[in-house]
Amino acid sequence: MSVVTSHEFLDKVVQATPDGKQIRKCLQCGTCSGVCPYGFAMDYPPRSLIAALRADDWHGVLESDTIWLCVSCFACASVCPSKIPLTRGLLSALKTEMLVGGSIPAELQTALGNSRRYGNALGESPKKRADWAKDFTVPVPVMATHKEPVDVLWFVGDYGSYHPRVQQVTRALAKVLYVLDVKFGILGPEENSDGDTQAFTGEWGLFELLARKNAIAMKKYTFGEIITADPHAYNALKHEYPRLGFDRTVKHHTQYLVEHFDRIKPLLQNRGAQRVTYHDPCYLGRANDNNIYAEPRQLLQAIPGVEFVEMSHNRALSICCGGGGGGMWLDGFSWEKAHTRTTEWRIKEALAVGADVLAVACPYETPRFEDAVKSTGNEGKLAVKDIAELLAESMFG
Amino acid sequence: MDIVVLIKFVPDLVEDLEIDAGTGLLDRSFLRLMPNELDDHALEEALLLKERHGGSVTVLTLDSGDVDETLFTAIAKGADRVIKLTGEGFDQGPSNQRIAGTLRQALSGIHFDLILTGTQAVDDLDGFVGALLAEQLKLPYVGYITKITAGDGHLVVQKEYPGGLNAEIEVSGPAVLGIQAAEKPPRYVVTSKVMEAMKTARIEEIAVDGVTVDTEVPVSAMALPESGSHAEMIEGNVQQVAQKLAALLRERGVVA
């Protein structure tokens, strides 16, 4: 049943979200709106949204489309003194109402339509999901044909599987796993998008559809634990899939590699001095208090020749790359509304601390930040590399 | 106004197409099918008309084995009835002549004031379904439509011509209209609504057999396009270009 008043909407959020009742305790302090990267361009940043809902201005809220600037980065939720689940609850629920009402930017509709039809947001052939591993130097077993139990089921994800730039990260990680003699396998064509970002666009039904397909595929095989280089997949598998009856241990690749730190360290060689800074992905850090801050830094600092420097916004204060919550599929819309890109702010921060390399740990980030290096006119001055790539470079040259 | 929307399932070009070496035709064994994009626009235009003027929307498709989700999605978007036609060889990509004959037979038992379908599809080898069906039903047909407005006892349709020309055409009585683009992009319907439709709605089935076709164009062989090495630009005035072109065509054996 669709919502017809603000109060019914608030009731729905309270009932449907863990800790949803906290929304009744909003102090109207505005910390959320202040920390929101796109708050300046939104008609209703979180504080104003709650004020409008309390004033029963549901019509006004639905008239505005700037909720689509929300990148679900958890910045607001992480600073809220009343612990209101703003990102997971309020903002994604409003996006759901927008979708139900048919108010959806065309580019987002394409990504959601692709996700439903092909199981990936990029609209690529599901059959070609493992093509990145074809004729690759390292064997990458696909579970359907491997027929043997594995220790590690590697959830590669949409961008890791299909995006030409992110495929390089995927191949680097495959080489690292191989040299560590990890018994791993991938789902290949049986894998679907993890659905996390689709959920944070408000399309929870699509999330469930994708999650159930993945759960059915994974339940067919015997494996020890799941690893992924995608913080969104990590977040979904850790916090959302258990709700649907699939509860298995999942680790981000940086967590998994730190566990094998003693074996990695002797393989790392000095390939030259580089000043490296690190961008904390929202879904490794702030989101659901995942708080994976130490492991990526431990790996980077172990690479001989690396001088590690922090940017001013780090850990829980990291600035979103703009790809979450559907932002990955709303570039045109976001530019039209805000005339700025958070990636560009980040590139300037990295350059300000004199970094040669911006290290990342999320598949959205490599292409987004590389674009921003170019769009800020800094091509050649800053390299963007996933931690897996930096490790592979140090190991194999 | 009772509107029937025709949806044809066509090869999804996200997968590589392959030619069966034995038959010389499209290898359909691993083909992925999707609803023709312009048929989706036809459905959108029908839903807009229903929202403005009332009536009903019925969606009709030949069952090629993979149509249920599209039909349930149509229900979730606002269609009233969804019908799949069952019969021999529907999953083998029947010719448009045969599709039109099949639809005509099924439509004999369905009331309609208007039939909408996409103007064209990627796999049209023998004309357009809408035009062929209109001919068989002895109804008027207008294609390349981008807007339909209901007037007093008639419809006004906007038709696109090449070169940026548009025409407004008055259409009365039952007719078949080929949609080039709906007034608005086809709507998005959330997955939960599609799932709900799967639980509550019913897909009707009509068995159609014994369809006869007067003329059917046989396909002798298909081939994937070959990429040439370069394009040759013919320079000169009209006379010179025509002479060079004629010489080239003779040289390549296209004309005697």
Side-chain angles (χ1 to χ4, degrees):
Chain A
M1 201 182 70
S2 67
V3 172
V4 288
T5 70
S6 317
H7 295 291
E8 283 169 358
F9 172 68
L10 282 171
D11 287 345
K12 199 165 143 182
V13 176
V14 168
Q15 283 159 21
T17 321
D19 298 326
K21 62 179 189 318
Q22 292 302 113
I23 202 167
R24 308 268 189 230
K25 298 181 182 167
C26 172
L27 308 169
Q28 288 290 294
C29 67
T31 315
C32 50
S33 305
V35 80
C36 173
Y38 281 115
F40 72 95
M42 292 173 91
D43 297 325
Y44 296 95
R47 185 201 64 81
S48 314
L49 175 60
I50 294 176
L53 293 170
R54 285 177 173 174
D56 207 14
D57 186 18
W58 184 233
H59 186 69
V61 168
L62 287 187
E63 282 280 286
S64 165
D65 58 358
T66 55
I67 181 64
W68 293 119
L69 286 174
C70 166
V71 286
S72 300
C73 69
F74 281 83
C76 55
S78 76
V79 295
C80 176
S82 294
K83 307 273 177 240
I84 301 171
L86 291 165
T87 310
R88 168 70 172 76
L90 180 70
L91 298 166
S92 88
L94 178 56
K95 290 178 186 177
T96 304
E97 295 303 327
M98 298 292 282
L99 291 178
V100 170
S103 169
I104 170 175
E107 47 197 321
L108 178 60
Q109 180 168 348
T110 303
L112 295 179
N114 283 340
S115 303
R116 192 146 87 204
R117 178 170 290 153
Y118 304 114
N120 68 80
L122 295 88
E124 294 287 340
S125 153
K127 280 189 220 163
K128 296 178 184 165
R129 200 167 177 104
D131 278 13
W132 62 268
K134 258 190 188 169
D135 307 319
F136 184 47
T137 46
V138 161
V140 179
V142 178
M143 294 307 287
T145 48
H146 189 50
K147 308 276 185 208
E148 275 177 39
V150 292
D151 296 330
V152 166
L153 182 69
W154 177 9
F155 193 95
V156 183
D158 284 358
Y159 285 81
S161 300
Y162 293 113
H163 191 287
R165 173 64 184 90
V166 192
Q167 283 177 339
Q168 295 173 10
V169 177
T170 308
R171 292 196 190 101
L173 182 55
K175 280 163 80 176
V176 172
L177 293 176
Y178 181 73
V179 81
L180 291 173
D181 203 20
V182 179
K183 286 185 177 48
F184 72 93
I186 65 168
L187 291 170
E190 284 189 289
E191 186 184 280
N192 278 265
S193 170
D194 56 80
D196 194 65
T197 303
Q198 289 87 341
F200 282 96
T201 67
E203 239 291 31
W204 287 94
L206 177 56
F207 164 76
E208 286 193 18
L209 180 80
L210 295 166
R212 287 188 200 286
K213 285 183 181 176
N214 281 325
I216 289 167
M218 288 190 276
K219 280 178 180 171
K220 284 161 68 176
Y221 305 112
T222 307
F223 59 89
E225 58 192 350
I226 304 167
I227 68 162
T228 180
D230 183 345
H232 296 274
Y234 169 81
N235 184 67
L237 284 160
K238 189 174 171 76
H239 300 289
E240 303 291 348
Y241 280 45
R243 211 166 37 81
L244 303 173
F246 184 83
D247 193 356
R248 294 293 300 265
T249 302
V250 58
K251 287 173 186 156
H252 187 250
H253 69 301
T254 56
Q255 289 179 300
Y256 181 82
L257 294 175
V258 162
E259 285 175 12
H260 298 268
F261 197 57
D262 292 342
R263 291 174 53 221
I264 289 175
K265 241 185 147 177
L267 301 172
L268 299 173
Q269 292 178 44
N270 193 336
R271 308 274 176 189
Q274 48 186 346
R275 201 169 156 94
V276 177
T277 189
Y278 171 63
H279 165 83
D280 288 278
C282 309
Y283 282 70
L284 277 194
R286 284 187 298 261
N288 292 308
D289 288 325
N290 286 331
N291 292 333
I292 302 170
Y293 298 123
E295 293 89 336
R297 289 175 171 77
Q298 195 178 340
L299 292 169
L300 290 171
Q301 285 167 336
I303 299 173
V306 164
E307 182 197 349
F308 185 76
V309 283
E310 291 285 5
M311 288 183 282
S312 48
H313 290 90
N314 61 63
R315 297 181 173 81
L317 294 177
S318 182
I319 299 171
C320 179
C321 77
M328 195 67 188
W329 312 313
L330 283 162
D331 271 337
F333 177 88
S334 304
W335 179 258
E336 187 188 319
K337 294 283 177 187
H339 290 286
T340 185
R341 295 187 183 96
T342 54
T343 42
E344 296 184 350
W345 316 347
R346 209 58 172 145
I347 293 307
K348 287 173 193 160
E349 279 197 6
L351 289 169
V353 295
D356 308 309
V357 178
L358 173 61
V360 297
C362 171
Y364 290 174
E365 290 163 358
T366 21
R368 295 186 74 80
F369 284 129
E370 280 185 356
D371 286 351
V373 169
K374 292 174 199 156
S375 65
T376 54
N378 288 298
E379 201 167 358
K381 291 182 194 158
L382 182 72
V384 180
K385 285 176 186 171
D386 192 279
I387 292 174
E389 290 181 292
L390 289 167
L391 289 172
E393 278 175 17
S394 176
M395 287 176 180
F396 315 113
Chain B
M1 193 163 24
D2 293 325
I3 307 170
V4 167
V5 176
L6 312 174
I7 293 184
K8 178 161 88 152
F9 278 74
V10 299
D12 188 338
L13 302 179
V14 77
E15 303 291 358
D16 301 331
L17 298 181
E18 283 175 36
I19 306 296
D20 184 319
T23 63
L25 302 177
L26 206 55
D27 184 351
R28 303 191 76 90
S29 49
F30 297 105
L31 205 61
R32 187 185 175 98
L33 295 173
M34 65 178 286
N36 174 33
E37 191 183 348
L38 296 193
D39 295 349
D40 205 21
H41 281 260
L43 173 61
E44 182 62 33
E45 194 65 27
L47 294 170
L48 290 172
L49 283 171
K50 180 189 153 184
E51 283 165 8
R52 285 172 199 157
H53 308 292
S56 69
V57 172
T58 299
V59 175
L60 211 56
T61 189
L62 272 64
D63 186 12
S64 52
D66 209 16
V67 304
D68 289 11
E69 197 186 320
T70 297
L71 294 179
F72 285 124
T73 304
I75 289 277
K77 285 182 173 182
D80 302 275
R81 287 176 75 189
V82 291
I83 305 170
K84 62 180 176 188
L85 311 180
T86 58
E88 283 290 307
F90 288 179
D91 55 350
Q92 291 303 307
S95 71
N96 281 352
Q97 287 278 8
R98 192 162 288 277
I99 292 173
T102 305
L103 291 166
R104 184 200 51 183
Q105 203 163 316
L107 283 164
S108 64
I110 299 169
H111 176 262
F112 62 87
D113 302 307
L114 193 61
I115 296 175
L116 301 188
T117 189
T119 278
Q120 56 197 327
V122 288
D123 66 345
D124 286 334
L125 298 175
D126 60 337
F128 301 150
V129 170
L132 294 168
L133 176 65
E135 174 64 20
Q136 293 196 19
L137 291 170
K138 303 295 173 213
L139 291 178
Y141 172 78
V142 187
Y144 300 97
I145 289 172
T146 54
K147 191 176 182 180
I148 302 173
T149 316
D152 191 14
H154 62 267
L155 300 170
V156 177
V157 301
Q158 192 164 313
K159 179 184 165 94
E160 254 183 18
Y161 286 93
L165 290 175
N166 280 295
E168 276 189 354
I169 298 172
E170 220 175 270
V171 182
S172 54
V176 183
L177 302 179
I179 304 297
Q180 175 69 15
E183 281 165 56
K184 293 200 284 187
R187 64 196 65 192
Y188 184 77
V189 62
V190 288
T191 308
S192 58
K193 278 196 181 176
V194 179
M195 296 294 167
E196 196 180 300
M198 285 179 174
K199 283 181 198 144
T200 56
R202 193 174 65 88
I203 296 175
E204 296 171 49
E205 286 186 30
I206 299 177
V208 181
D209 49 36
V211 173
T212 53
V213 178
D214 294 340
T215 52
E216 204 165 21
V217 180
V219 178
S220 49
M222 296 179 89
L224 295 170
E226 288 170 22
S227 50
S229 54
H230 66 282
E232 191 178 327
M233 300 303 291
I234 303 175
E235 310 276 348
N237 62 33
V238 174
Q239 195 68 29
Q240 292 162 331
V241 169
Q243 275 173 5
K244 285 180 194 168
L245 187 59
L248 261 175
L249 291 173
R250 268 195 295 275
E251 185 191 313
R252 306 274 164 98
V254 180
V255 291

mmCIF file of all heavy atoms in Angstrom, chain A residues 21-51:
data_model
loop_
_atom_site.group_PDB
_atom_site.id
_atom_site.type_symbol
_atom_site.label_atom_id
_atom_site.label_comp_id
_atom_site.label_asym_id
_atom_site.label_seq_id
_atom_site.Cartn_x
_atom_site.Cartn_y
_atom_site.Cartn_z
ATOM 1 N N LYS A 21 12.551 3.683 15.512
ATOM 2 C CA LYS A 21 11.833 4.569 16.436
ATOM 3 C C LYS A 21 12.693 5.765 16.851
ATOM 4 O O LYS A 21 12.174 6.778 17.311
ATOM 5 C CB LYS A 21 11.361 3.798 17.677
ATOM 6 C CG LYS A 21 12.473 3.196 18.519
ATOM 7 C CD LYS A 21 11.898 2.483 19.723
ATOM 8 C CE LYS A 21 12.962 2.058 20.718
ATOM 9 N NZ LYS A 21 14.196 1.498 20.152
ATOM 10 N N GLN A 22 14.006 5.659 16.634
ATOM 11 C CA GLN A 22 14.888 6.789 16.985
ATOM 12 C C GLN A 22 14.521 8.058 16.215
ATOM 13 O O GLN A 22 14.844 9.158 16.645
ATOM 14 C CB GLN A 22 16.353 6.425 16.703
ATOM 15 C CG GLN A 22 16.936 5.350 17.608
ATOM 16 C CD GLN A 22 16.871 5.722 19.073
ATOM 17 O OE1 GLN A 22 16.140 5.101 19.856
ATOM 18 N NE2 GLN A 22 17.606 6.763 19.441
ATOM 19 N N ILE A 23 13.846 7.872 15.087
ATOM 20 C CA ILE A 23 13.504 9.038 14.261
ATOM 21 C C ILE A 23 12.607 10.011 15.032
ATOM 22 O O ILE A 23 12.593 11.210 14.784
ATOM 23 C CB ILE A 23 12.859 8.588 12.927
ATOM 24 C CG1 ILE A 23 13.004 9.681 11.881
ATOM 25 C CG2 ILE A 23 11.410 8.211 13.095
ATOM 26 C CD1 ILE A 23 12.694 9.219 10.473
ATOM 27 N N ARG A 24 11.874 9.448 16.007
ATOM 28 C CA ARG A 24 11.019 10.308 16.838
ATOM 29 C C ARG A 24 11.852 11.206 17.749
ATOM 30 O O ARG A 24 11.339 12.124 18.354
ATOM 31 C CB ARG A 24 10.115 9.439 17.721
ATOM 32 C CG ARG A 24 9.321 8.385 16.969
ATOM 33 C CD ARG A 24 7.966 8.901 16.565
ATOM 34 N NE ARG A 24 7.126 7.841 16.035
ATOM 35 C CZ ARG A 24 6.458 7.933 14.884
ATOM 36 N NH1 ARG A 24 6.532 9.015 14.144
ATOM 37 N NH2 ARG A 24 5.700 6.940 14.477
ATOM 38 N N LYS A 25 13.136 10.881 17.865
ATOM 39 C CA LYS A 25 13.981 11.606 18.819
ATOM 40 C C LYS A 25 14.884 12.633 18.141
ATOM 41 O O LYS A 25 15.869 13.076 18.726
ATOM 42 C CB LYS A 25 14.828 10.613 19.620
ATOM 43 C CG LYS A 25 13.960 9.669 20.451
ATOM 44 C CD LYS A 25 14.781 8.703 21.258
ATOM 45 C CE LYS A 25 13.855 7.747 22.026
ATOM 46 N NZ LYS A 25 14.574 6.605 22.574
ATOM 47 N N CYS A 26 14.573 12.996 16.904
ATOM 48 C CA CYS A 26 15.393 13.996 16.206
ATOM 49 C C CYS A 26 15.379 15.313 16.975
ATOM 50 O O CYS A 26 14.328 15.835 17.332
ATOM 51 C CB CYS A 26 14.859 14.215 14.797
ATOM 52 S SG CYS A 26 15.662 15.587 13.951
ATOM 53 N N LEU A 27 16.588 15.837 17.206
ATOM 54 C CA LEU A 27 16.742 17.090 17.969
ATOM 55 C C LEU A 27 16.708 18.311 17.069
ATOM 56 O O LEU A 27 16.785 19.427 17.543
ATOM 57 C CB LEU A 27 18.092 17.077 18.689
ATOM 58 C CG LEU A 27 18.439 15.866 19.548
ATOM 59 C CD1 LEU A 27 19.912 15.926 19.937
ATOM 60 C CD2 LEU A 27 17.569 15.849 20.785
ATOM 61 N N GLN A 28 16.689 18.071 15.750
ATOM 62 C CA GLN A 28 16.795 19.166 14.782
ATOM 63 C C GLN A 28 18.105 19.945 14.949
ATOM 64 O O GLN A 28 18.152 21.170 14.786
ATOM 65 C CB GLN A 28 15.586 20.104 14.901
ATOM 66 C CG GLN A 28 14.298 19.493 14.373
ATOM 67 C CD GLN A 28 14.297 19.345 12.854
ATOM 68 O OE1 GLN A 28 14.304 20.320 12.111
ATOM 69 N NE2 GLN A 28 14.312 18.106 12.382
ATOM 70 N N CYS A 29 19.173 19.215 15.269
ATOM 71 C CA CYS A 29 20.460 19.888 15.488
ATOM 72 C C CYS A 29 21.146 20.252 14.179
ATOM 73 O O CYS A 29 21.964 21.161 14.130
ATOM 74 C CB CYS A 29 21.385 19.024 16.349
ATOM 75 S SG CYS A 29 21.931 17.499 15.537
ATOM 76 N N GLY A 30 20.819 19.492 13.114
ATOM 77 C CA GLY A 30 21.374 19.842 11.806
ATOM 78 C C GLY A 30 22.778 19.322 11.547
ATOM 79 O O GLY A 30 23.376 19.643 10.515
ATOM 80 N N THR A 31 23.320 18.515 12.446
ATOM 81 C CA THR A 31 24.663 17.957 12.224
ATOM 82 C C THR A 31 24.676 17.122 10.945
ATOM 83 O O THR A 31 25.633 17.158 10.163
ATOM 84 C CB THR A 31 25.085 17.075 13.425
ATOM 85 O OG1 THR A 31 24.756 17.766 14.623
ATOM 86 C CG2 THR A 31 26.572 16.783 13.393
ATOM 87 N N CYS A 32 23.600 16.392 10.726
ATOM 88 C CA CYS A 32 23.470 15.531 9.545
ATOM 89 C C CYS A 32 23.597 16.340 8.253
ATOM 90 O O CYS A 32 24.382 16.004 7.366
ATOM 91 C CB CYS A 32 22.128 14.798 9.570
ATOM 92 S SG CYS A 32 20.710 15.869 9.867
ATOM 93 N N SER A 33 22.822 17.415 8.177
ATOM 94 C CA SER A 33 22.808 18.218 6.949
ATOM 95 C C SER A 33 24.154 18.896 6.732
ATOM 96 O O SER A 33 24.589 19.087 5.595
ATOM 97 C CB SER A 33 21.709 19.269 7.015
ATOM 98 O OG SER A 33 20.472 18.656 7.281
ATOM 99 N N GLY A 34 24.810 19.237 7.829
ATOM 100 C CA GLY A 34 26.113 19.893 7.728
ATOM 101 C C GLY A 34 27.178 18.977 7.174
ATOM 102 O O GLY A 34 28.037 19.397 6.398
ATOM 103 N N VAL A 35 27.118 17.701 7.541
ATOM 104 C CA VAL A 35 28.164 16.768 7.127
ATOM 105 C C VAL A 35 27.849 16.134 5.770
ATOM 106 O O VAL A 35 28.713 15.539 5.138
ATOM 107 C CB VAL A 35 28.362 15.692 8.234
ATOM 108 C CG1 VAL A 35 27.298 14.611 8.149
ATOM 109 C CG2 VAL A 35 29.753 15.082 8.173
ATOM 110 N N CYS A 36 26.613 16.271 5.325
ATOM 111 C CA CYS A 36 26.183 15.660 4.046
ATOM 112 C C CYS A 36 26.952 16.284 2.881
ATOM 113 O O CYS A 36 26.944 17.499 2.712
ATOM 114 C CB CYS A 36 24.676 15.880 3.834
ATOM 115 S SG CYS A 36 24.095 15.332 2.204
ATOM 116 N N PRO A 37 27.619 15.457 2.041
ATOM 117 C CA PRO A 37 28.413 16.045 0.953
ATOM 118 C C PRO A 37 27.556 16.815 -0.053
ATOM 119 O O PRO A 37 28.040 17.738 -0.695
ATOM 120 C CB PRO A 37 29.095 14.835 0.312
ATOM 121 C CG PRO A 37 28.318 13.639 0.750
ATOM 122 C CD PRO A 37 27.744 13.992 2.089
ATOM 123 N N TYR A 38 26.299 16.421 -0.205
ATOM 124 C CA TYR A 38 25.433 17.103 -1.169
ATOM 125 C C TYR A 38 24.334 17.920 -0.485
ATOM 126 O O TYR A 38 23.421 18.410 -1.153
ATOM 127 C CB TYR A 38 24.812 16.088 -2.134
ATOM 128 C CG TYR A 38 25.753 15.655 -3.220
ATOM 129 C CD1 TYR A 38 26.197 14.345 -3.318
ATOM 130 C CD2 TYR A 38 26.218 16.583 -4.152
ATOM 131 C CE1 TYR A 38 27.071 13.951 -4.320
ATOM 132 C CE2 TYR A 38 27.089 16.205 -5.151
ATOM 133 C CZ TYR A 38 27.520 14.896 -5.237
ATOM 134 O OH TYR A 38 28.381 14.519 -6.227
ATOM 135 N N GLY A 39 24.434 18.065 0.863
ATOM 136 C CA GLY A 39 23.400 18.792 1.597
ATOM 137 C C GLY A 39 23.141 20.182 1.051
ATOM 138 O O GLY A 39 22.000 20.643 1.006
ATOM 139 N N PHE A 40 24.206 20.819 0.573
ATOM 140 C CA PHE A 40 24.067 22.201 0.075
ATOM 141 C C PHE A 40 23.163 22.294 -1.144
ATOM 142 O O PHE A 40 22.608 23.343 -1.438
ATOM 143 C CB PHE A 40 25.452 22.773 -0.254
ATOM 144 C CG PHE A 40 26.058 22.181 -1.495
ATOM 145 C CD1 PHE A 40 25.905 22.827 -2.723
ATOM 146 C CD2 PHE A 40 26.758 20.984 -1.458
ATOM 147 C CE1 PHE A 40 26.443 22.284 -3.879
ATOM 148 C CE2 PHE A 40 27.294 20.430 -2.594
ATOM 149 C CZ PHE A 40 27.141 21.079 -3.818
ATOM 150 N N ALA A 41 23.033 21.177 -1.874
ATOM 151 C CA ALA A 41 22.251 21.204 -3.116
ATOM 152 C C ALA A 41 20.897 20.512 -2.979
ATOM 153 O O ALA A 41 20.133 20.447 -3.942
ATOM 154 C CB ALA A 41 23.055 20.540 -4.237
ATOM 155 N N MET A 42 20.605 19.989 -1.792
ATOM 156 C CA MET A 42 19.339 19.271 -1.617
ATOM 157 C C MET A 42 18.254 20.206 -1.084
ATOM 158 O O MET A 42 18.520 21.030 -0.212
ATOM 159 C CB MET A 42 19.525 18.106 -0.630
ATOM 160 C CG MET A 42 20.407 16.996 -1.151
ATOM 161 S SD MET A 42 20.753 15.764 0.136
ATOM 162 C CE MET A 42 19.419 14.607 -0.127
ATOM 163 N N ASP A 43 17.048 20.032 -1.591
ATOM 164 C CA ASP A 43 15.923 20.804 -1.043
ATOM 165 C C ASP A 43 15.639 20.359 0.387
ATOM 166 O O ASP A 43 15.258 21.167 1.225
ATOM 167 C CB ASP A 43 14.665 20.582 -1.897
ATOM 168 C CG ASP A 43 14.858 21.086 -3.320
ATOM 169 O OD1 ASP A 43 15.558 22.107 -3.488
ATOM 170 O OD2 ASP A 43 14.329 20.449 -4.257
ATOM 171 N N TYR A 44 15.803 19.075 0.623
ATOM 172 C CA TYR A 44 15.540 18.533 1.960
ATOM 173 C C TYR A 44 16.696 17.657 2.433
ATOM 174 O O TYR A 44 16.613 16.423 2.353
ATOM 175 C CB TYR A 44 14.253 17.694 1.961
ATOM 176 C CG TYR A 44 13.007 18.484 1.664
ATOM 177 C CD1 TYR A 44 12.507 18.553 0.361
ATOM 178 C CD2 TYR A 44 12.322 19.150 2.680
ATOM 179 C CE1 TYR A 44 11.358 19.276 0.077
ATOM 180 C CE2 TYR A 44 11.167 19.864 2.398
ATOM 181 C CZ TYR A 44 10.697 19.931 1.093
ATOM 182 O OH TYR A 44 9.557 20.642 0.816
ATOM 183 N N PRO A 45 17.790 18.273 2.900
ATOM 184 C CA PRO A 45 18.797 17.429 3.552
ATOM 185 C C PRO A 45 18.167 16.845 4.819
ATOM 186 O O PRO A 45 17.086 17.291 5.231
ATOM 187 C CB PRO A 45 19.938 18.394 3.847
ATOM 188 C CG PRO A 45 19.356 19.760 3.768
ATOM 189 C CD PRO A 45 18.165 19.680 2.865
ATOM 190 N N PRO A 46 18.797 15.838 5.440
ATOM 191 C CA PRO A 46 18.081 15.057 6.456
ATOM 192 C C PRO A 46 17.322 15.874 7.508
ATOM 193 O O PRO A 46 16.152 15.578 7.777
ATOM 194 C CB PRO A 46 19.190 14.218 7.092
ATOM 195 C CG PRO A 46 20.220 14.091 6.026
ATOM 196 C CD PRO A 46 20.165 15.345 5.217
ATOM 197 N N ARG A 47 17.963 16.887 8.099
ATOM 198 C CA ARG A 47 17.254 17.636 9.145
ATOM 199 C C ARG A 47 15.985 18.291 8.589
ATOM 200 O O ARG A 47 14.902 18.176 9.169
ATOM 201 C CB ARG A 47 18.147 18.724 9.756
ATOM 202 C CG ARG A 47 17.495 19.437 10.933
ATOM 203 C CD ARG A 47 18.117 20.805 11.209
ATOM 204 N NE ARG A 47 17.925 21.739 10.100
ATOM 205 C CZ ARG A 47 16.812 22.436 9.894
ATOM 206 N NH1 ARG A 47 15.791 22.331 10.716
ATOM 207 N NH2 ARG A 47 16.697 23.244 8.855
ATOM 208 N N SER A 48 16.113 18.959 7.451
ATOM 209 C CA SER A 48 14.950 19.625 6.847
ATOM 210 C C SER A 48 13.881 18.613 6.461
ATOM 211 O O SER A 48 12.685 18.905 6.530
ATOM 212 C CB SER A 48 15.353 20.397 5.595
ATOM 213 O OG SER A 48 16.505 21.131 5.829
ATOM 214 N N LEU A 49 14.326 17.441 6.045
ATOM 215 C CA LEU A 49 13.373 16.405 5.655
ATOM 216 C C LEU A 49 12.510 16.005 6.851
ATOM 217 O O LEU A 49 11.275 15.928 6.748
ATOM 218 C CB LEU A 49 14.124 15.192 5.089
ATOM 219 C CG LEU A 49 13.286 13.964 4.736
ATOM 220 C CD1 LEU A 49 12.242 14.302 3.675
ATOM 221 C CD2 LEU A 49 14.178 12.825 4.236
ATOM 222 N N ILE A 50 13.166 15.782 7.987
ATOM 223 C CA ILE A 50 12.404 15.383 9.178
ATOM 224 C C ILE A 50 11.482 16.523 9.613
ATOM 225 O O ILE A 50 10.316 16.299 9.967
ATOM 226 C CB ILE A 50 13.356 14.949 10.318
ATOM 227 C CG1 ILE A 50 14.088 13.657 9.901
ATOM 228 C CG2 ILE A 50 12.587 14.725 11.628
ATOM 229 C CD1 ILE A 50 15.129 13.168 10.883
ATOM 230 N N ALA A 51 11.969 17.749 9.522
ATOM 231 C CA ALA A 51 11.127 18.905 9.877
ATOM 232 C C ALA A 51 9.904 18.973 8.974
ATOM 233 O O ALA A 51 8.773 19.177 9.436
ATOM 234 C CB ALA A 51 11.943 20.190 9.775
#
